[in-house]
Each structure stands twice: as C-alpha cells, then as structure tokens.
C-alpha cells in the first residue's frame, strides 16, 4: 500500500522569481482584504440592525457577505505571508484544511448566487405569489441546501486530492492549496481525481448556471413588457449588477476548474486566481444597486416582500 503522507509540508511557490510582482500582489491583497473585511462586516451589521431590510433578498445578501468574508479569509492571510514575508511552507494538514474550507465557502457562494437569481425571478415575474413562494421557511431551506452542497463538494474534492501520494520536495505551483495545483504536485496517477473534479465542478457550474440563465431569461422578458422606460430601468436595476457579478464569478471558476487544462496548466490558473480573488471583494458593493448605505433600498422594497420578515435570522 502506498504511503500518502511522504511529505510533512508543502512549499507554495507563488509567483517566484518576480520580486516586483510579489510586492505589488502583497499591496493588492492587503488593500482588497481590508476592503472585504470592512465592507462585509458593515453589510451584515446594517442588514441586521435595520428591520426594513429583513426581507428574503437581504437575507441572501447577508449570507453572501458572510461567505465572501470567510472565503477571502481562508486565502488572503496566507497569501500575504507568502508574498510579503516569504513564508511559503504550509503543513500537510494545513493545506488540506485550506482546500476544504476554500472549496466549501466557494461552492456555497455559487449556490447562493443561483438562489438570489431565483429570488429576483419570483419577485419580478410572480410578485403576487412572492410572499408564499419565498417564505421564511423556504429561504432557510434554500440557504441550508446551499451549505450542504458546499460541504458535499469540498468533501469530495479534498478527499480525492489527499488520497494521492506526495513525495519529493512537495512544491505547489500556486499561492494557496488550490485543487489543480495540489494534484499537479502529486507523484501518483491523478486521472481519476482529475475526472472527479471535472465532473463535480462541471455539474455544479452547469446546474446553477442554468438556474441563473433561465431566471434572467424570464426576468428580461418580463421587464421588456413594462411600458415605461423608467419602470424598466427601476425593475432591472435590482438585479443588473448581480448578473455582472455572476458573469465574472462563473467565468473565472470555469477557467480554473471546469476545463481540461486546469491540471496541466497551473500557471494560467494561478493568474486567473488572482482575478478571481480580487472579484469577491467587490460583491458587498456590486449587489446593492438601490441599497447603497441602506438608505434607498427599504423605500423600494415592495410591501409584499415585507410580509414575511426575517428578523430572527
């Protein structure tokens, strides 16, 4: 039987050999991580404090902010140590834990984005049934299901990856323990693990992507039927930036995990990862086109959306 723990620790290569780039990335991650902390904590505090924001849309936004905060916190601190201090080593168990939680929060965020698209579909296309369809119980179940899906995926990804054999110097060509990069560092056959990753990630991206595409297809059709230009703009503004965020999020995720070159081209994935980790930090601001500062949103929230307050969540 093979020994799967021949290395006690891994070395994160980051962007080795480019000191100027290391300094730039250190500054970039520090600024964006600070913005993420302040933005997401502030968003969660505002939503919890203002009873007018205890609606399904803001309930999902609060969960998205929490996931974004955790998602960034799993990666950014270690990346900063790697870029700024040169602390590139990470223990075997630490690498597995980072991969587990990164996959968990990232996958859950993907499902929450799909849930938010469905929420906007119901609010715009079936407003009279909105209080019944998006009841408190339904919202809790949708969020709980998203967390369950995230836990299932990260267990599969981490399990398949860390049943591989690792030997030699244990060098990971990345700035964190991303699945493709860790697989690339293995000295055993990764075909089965790679196929499992492609299958699971492909299913998640396709299924949640279809929910978003179908939801927005109906939303656009409904919005185009509104006679006034102001009405169309006001209605679509509640979800337009969410659509932009989804496009950026899914585009980088697909390139990183759901295309055949994900394992064989870790360098390209590493570059895209920088863009991907810069993107989540903008979500607390992107996903509130009419709710900036918590002032305008409550005035535009329909009375039907307030019938089932989520103040206890």
């Amino acid at each position: 039987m093979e020994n799967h723990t021949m290395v006690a620790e891994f070395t994160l290569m980051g962007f080795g050999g480019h000191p100027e780039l290391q300094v730039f990335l250190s500054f970039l991650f520090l600024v964006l991580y600070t913005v993420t902390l302040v933005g997401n904590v502030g968003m969660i505090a505002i939503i919890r404090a203002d009873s007018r924001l205890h609606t399904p849309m803001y309930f999902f936004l609060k969960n998205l902010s929490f996931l974004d905060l955790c998602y960034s916190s799993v990666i950014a601190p270690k990346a900063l140590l790697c870029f700024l201090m040169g602390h590139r080593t990470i223990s075997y168990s630490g690498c597995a834990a980072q991969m587990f939680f990164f996959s968990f929060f990232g996958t859950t965020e993907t499902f929450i984005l799909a849930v938010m698209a469905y929420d906007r579909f119901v609010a715009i296309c079936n407003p009279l049934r909105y209080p019944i369809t998006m009841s408190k119980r339904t919202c809790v179940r949708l969020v709980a299901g998203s967390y369950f899906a995230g836990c299932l995926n990260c267990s599969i990804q981490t399990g398949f990856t860390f049943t591989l054999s690792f030997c030699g110097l244990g060098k990971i060509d990345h700035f964190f323990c991303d699945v493709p990069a860790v697989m690339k560092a293995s000295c055993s056959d990764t075909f089965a693990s790679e196929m499992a990753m492609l299958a699971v990630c492909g299913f998640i991206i396709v299924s949640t992507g279809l929910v978003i595409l179908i939801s927005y297809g109906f939303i656009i059709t409904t919005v185009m039927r509104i006679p006034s230009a102001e009405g169309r703009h006001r209605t679509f503004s509640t979800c337009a930036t969410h659509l932009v965020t989804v496009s950026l999020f899914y585009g980088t995720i697909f390139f990183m995990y759901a295309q055949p070159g994900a394992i064989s081209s870790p360098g390209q994935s590493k570059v895209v990862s920088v863009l991907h980790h810069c993107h989540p930090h903008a979500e607390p601001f992107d996903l509130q086109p009419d709710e900036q500062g918590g002032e305008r949103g409550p005035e535009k929230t329909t009375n039907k959306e307030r019938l089932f307050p989520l103040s206890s969540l």
Side-chain angles (χ1 to χ4, degrees):
M1 182 176 180
E2 293 182 84
N3 182 2
H4 299 302
T5 57
M6 294 178 66
V7 295
E9 62 182 19
F10 295 101
T11 301
L12 300 172
M13 302 306 294
F15 290 88
H18 301 84
E20 298 82 5
L21 183 59
Q22 301 277 17
V23 174
F24 170 75
L25 290 174
S26 300
F27 177 76
L28 178 66
F29 269 77
L30 179 60
V31 170
L32 293 178
Y33 185 55
T34 302
V35 171
T36 296
L37 289 176
V38 175
N40 284 303
V41 171
M43 178 66 66
I44 294 172
I46 289 173
I47 293 175
R48 289 186 64 87
D50 194 338
S51 61
R52 296 172 298 173
L53 300 181
H54 294 164
T55 63
M57 181 177 72
Y58 288 99
F59 173 61
F60 297 135
L61 181 58
K62 181 174 68 174
N63 277 275
L64 188 67
S65 295
F66 171 74
L67 290 167
D68 188 27
L69 178 62
C70 296
Y71 179 84
S72 301
S73 296
V74 171
I75 305 300
K78 183 60 181 178
L80 283 171
L81 289 175
C82 179
F83 294 142
L84 193 60
M85 307 297 295
H87 295 170
R88 301 179 182 276
T89 59
I90 184 171
S91 67
Y92 184 92
S93 58
C95 186
Q98 187 184 60
M99 180 183 295
F100 181 90
F101 287 108
F102 166 76
S103 300
F104 172 66
F105 294 123
T107 304
T108 306
E109 189 170 349
T110 302
F111 279 92
I112 290 292
L113 287 170
V115 167
M116 293 180 73
Y118 175 72
D119 171 71
R120 290 300 85 202
F121 157 71
V122 177
I124 294 174
C125 301
N126 299 283
L128 296 179
R129 295 187 57 82
Y130 186 86
I132 299 174
T133 305
M134 302 304 295
S135 64
K136 177 179 178 180
R137 177 177 296 181
T138 300
C139 292
V140 172
R141 287 178 175 176
L142 287 172
V143 170
S146 298
Y147 278 89
F148 175 77
C151 184
L152 183 63
N153 178 57
C154 71
S155 298
I156 294 174
Q157 299 283 15
T158 307
F160 269 94
T161 302
F162 282 89
T163 53
L164 298 172
S165 297
F166 298 96
C167 49
L169 299 178
K171 292 184 178 181
I172 297 177
D173 188 17
H174 216 304
F175 55 85
F176 72 101
C177 291
D178 199 12
V179 178
V182 176
M183 285 187 182
K184 186 69 174 179
S186 172
C187 56
S188 59
D189 184 10
T190 63
F191 180 79
S193 297
E194 183 177 352
M195 290 301 102
M197 185 191 76
L198 291 175
V200 173
C201 291
F203 173 78
I204 292 173
I205 293 174
V206 171
S207 59
T208 55
L210 282 176
V211 171
I212 293 171
L213 289 175
I214 293 173
S215 297
Y216 275 104
F218 282 106
I219 288 172
I220 292 173
T221 301
T222 301
V223 169
M224 295 306 295
R225 293 174 180 172
I226 299 175
S228 68
E230 181 182 356
R232 290 194 297 269
H233 174 74
R234 178 175 298 183
T235 302
F236 194 69
S237 67
T238 63
C239 53
T241 52
H242 170 258
L243 185 59
V244 174
T245 299
V246 165
S247 300
L248 294 172
F249 186 88
Y250 275 76
T252 53
I253 283 289
F254 177 83
F255 191 91
M256 290 164 60
Y257 302 113
Q259 49 99 14
I263 304 296
S264 59
S265 303
Q268 294 180 4
S269 178
K270 184 166 52 175
V271 174
V272 176
S273 293
V274 175
L275 301 176
H276 181 68
H277 289 93
C278 290
H279 159 256
H281 302 273
E283 285 176 356
F285 309 98
D286 283 345
L287 298 179
Q288 47 168 340
D290 293 317
E291 297 82 38
Q292 296 178 11
E295 298 296 330
R296 296 166 61 192
E299 300 170 2
K300 293 188 178 183
T301 303
T302 65
N303 290 328
K304 294 182 179 63
E305 289 180 290
R306 295 176 186 166
L307 293 179
F308 289 86
L310 298 166
S311 56
S312 61
L313 300 176

